[in-house]
Amino acid sequence: MQNLENEDRRGEQLATALGWFSIALGATELVAPRSVARAVGIPDASTSTIRAFGAREVASGLAILARPDRAGWVWSRVGGDAVDISYLATALNSPDADRGRVGAALAAVLGV
C-alpha cells in the first residue's frame, strides 16, 4: 500500500514539475519568439507560429496545475509535443536551419 502512495506522490510531483516547465517554456516562446527560433536553429521561423506554440504550452501547464484530471492534461501536452516534433522534423529540411541545433531541440522534445 505504501508503494502505491509513494508512486502516486512521485507522479504528482512529476506532473507539477511538468506543469511549471510548460508555463516557463511557453512564456519564453510568447515573449521572445525570435530568440527561441534562433536557439533551436530555425532563424526564419514564423514568430506567430512560435507564439502559438507558447500559448499552447502555457495553457497545458495551467491545466496540469489546476488538477481536475491531471492525467488527461498531461496527455494533451504529449499531443502538443507530437506537433513540436513534426515541426522540428520538417525544419531539418530547411536550407536556413542549423541542423545541429534543430537536432538537439528535437532530442530535447523527445526526452520530455
Side-chain angles (χ1 to χ4, degrees):
M1 188 67 145
Q2 184 144 0
N3 268 351
L4 289 177
E5 289 175 11
N6 286 339
E7 284 183 35
D8 285 347
R9 194 171 316 119
R10 279 191 298 259
E12 287 291 317
Q13 290 171 339
L14 183 58
T16 298
L18 184 61
W20 284 114
F21 174 77
S22 294
I23 291 169
L25 176 60
T28 303
E29 291 172 322
L30 285 168
V31 172
R34 289 190 197 284
S35 295
V36 171
R38 281 192 304 271
V40 299
I42 314 169
D44 61 342
S46 162
T47 57
S48 48
T49 298
I50 301 297
R51 282 192 174 112
F53 289 169
R56 184 200 70 226
E57 284 288 348
V58 169
S60 291
L62 291 172
I64 290 168
L65 293 177
R67 298 182 176 215
D69 173 22
R70 273 190 147 171
W73 291 114
V74 169
W75 280 111
S76 77
R77 191 187 183 288
V78 171
D81 287 344
V83 172
D84 295 344
I85 290 165
S86 296
Y87 184 79
L88 291 168
T90 301
L92 281 172
N93 295 323
S94 171
D96 296 328
D98 179 328
R99 290 180 186 209
R101 286 180 182 240
V102 175
L106 192 52
V109 174
L110 288 167
V112 171

